[in-house]
Amino acid sequence: AIVSGSGRGIGRAIAMKLASEGAKVVVNDLDPAPAEQTVADIKAAGGQALACAGSVTADGFAEKFVKTAIDGFGGLDIIINNAGYTWDNVIQKMTDEQWYAMLDCHLTAPFRILRAAQPVIRQLSKAEAEAGQRVVRKVVNISSVAGLFGNAGQTNYSTAKAGIVGMTQTLAKEWGRLNVTVNCVAYGFIKTRLTVSAAGEATATIEGREIKVGVNPDLMAAMERSIPLGRGGSPEEAAGAVYLFCIPESDYVSGQTLMCSGGLTGI
């Protein structure tokens, strides 16, 4: 399994979950330290993992990511396109840089990773068919309720997350003959370092930019009241939704988008 953005937050929880169930995981993060820490934690729990640090938007990263799995583990069975962040503004104040940063990270990067993986998967599938074997592979892309319903201040992010739904449905049609299911998980409010309560001006350095992160405590309380389950989700709960699409029980489910939002069905 290759999991982008898996050094921290939801991605880390996905990597840990898949590893706990026997997957050999290639862990990616912008920074080497979080990626290596997740690898160490997987190994400490008895799993197998390798690190592939770097930006998913960098030229040549997709090929490097796929090659790490092939060289390190001899195959590629699961692709999780998880890496991402938000950079919000109302449309009249949104810069071209903000717009393209979201499209590059949430839409172009998954496209490149899947494009790089296709020849590898095609070759593996052909060899398996010739040997009389049938192996079902899994792709899970990550969207958001913002991509399904829109969200004020997130024209860039919502557009990219809507696009990944279309990519999912298209690849389900293209890759079905290769025995690959392609599905999508759309998250609601999940508590991570990028959404943690922050009364002040919290920031995170992403791609060399200082991005405002966090949600005002009053706004967070209001958001949680609007969720039928009454709270935001944990990274582990978010990982569980991805895991559903990676198990044999979902081998005949493809081209679908699953909302993981605590019952929230709109914004």
Side-chain angles (χ1 to χ4, degrees):
I2 59 176
V3 185
S4 68
S6 51
R8 290 169 278 208
I10 295 170
R12 171 186 162 85
I14 293 170
M16 296 294 292
K17 176 62 176 178
L18 294 178
S20 74
E21 296 294 334
K24 301 170 184 176
V25 183
V26 178
V27 176
N28 158 256
D29 195 90
L30 268 172
D31 306 310
E36 293 289 356
Q37 182 61 59
T38 300
V39 167
D41 291 343
I42 288 173
K43 289 181 176 179
Q48 298 185 56
L50 293 169
C52 181
S55 171
V56 294
T57 65
D59 289 341
F61 173 82
E63 291 76 14
K64 174 186 171 185
F65 201 21
V66 171
K67 189 173 186 296
T68 301
I70 298 301
D71 291 350
F73 296 131
L76 179 59
D77 301 295
I78 298 171
I79 301 171
I80 313 295
N81 283 306
N82 166 79
Y85 62 104
T86 58
W87 193 5
D88 299 350
N89 222 332
V90 289
I91 193 166
Q92 67 271 23
K93 296 181 180 179
M94 185 171 289
T95 65
D96 283 0
E97 184 184 12
Q98 285 176 289
W99 170 260
Y100 284 113
M102 292 297 95
L103 265 65
D104 287 347
C105 180
H106 294 279
L107 201 53
T108 303
F111 158 72
R112 288 176 173 172
I113 290 168
L114 294 167
R115 181 177 63 182
Q118 198 278 346
V120 172
I121 290 174
R122 184 187 63 218
Q123 183 178 2
L124 290 169
S125 179
K126 182 180 179 181
E128 287 153 3
E130 290 173 350
Q133 300 173 335
R134 181 176 179 275
V135 176
V136 179
R137 291 182 167 83
K138 310 282 189 165
V139 173
V140 185
N141 297 315
I142 304 302
S143 184
S144 166
V145 292
L148 302 181
F149 307 110
N151 196 28
Q154 293 190 322
T155 303
N156 51 0
Y157 179 76
S158 297
T159 299
K161 287 305 191 183
I164 200 71
V165 173
M167 188 185 300
T168 296
Q169 294 170 337
T170 299
L171 264 293
K173 291 179 168 66
E174 288 189 16
W175 287 13
R177 62 187 177 84
L178 301 176
N179 293 321
V180 180
T181 69
V182 186
N183 291 293
C184 186
V185 174
Y187 290 130
F189 178 47
I190 308 296
K191 293 182 177 180
T192 70
R193 73 185 180 105
L194 299 182
T195 59
V196 290
S197 180
E201 292 292 319
T203 64
T205 302
I206 302 172
E207 300 273 29
R209 308 180 182 102
E210 284 295 315
I211 307 293
K212 291 181 180 179
V213 299
V215 179
N216 180 279
D218 293 335
L219 178 58
M220 178 179 288
M223 288 172 60
E224 293 194 293
R225 284 194 297 270
S226 71
I227 298 169
L229 287 183
R231 59 180 178 81
S234 70
E236 290 72 26
E237 288 171 323
V242 171
Y243 176 67
L244 293 176
F245 282 135
C246 295
I247 57 178
E249 286 81 354
S250 63
D251 280 359
Y252 200 63
V253 178
S254 194
Q256 302 303 304
T257 297
L258 171 69
M259 286 180 60
C260 177
S261 62
L264 184 69
T265 56
I267 297 181

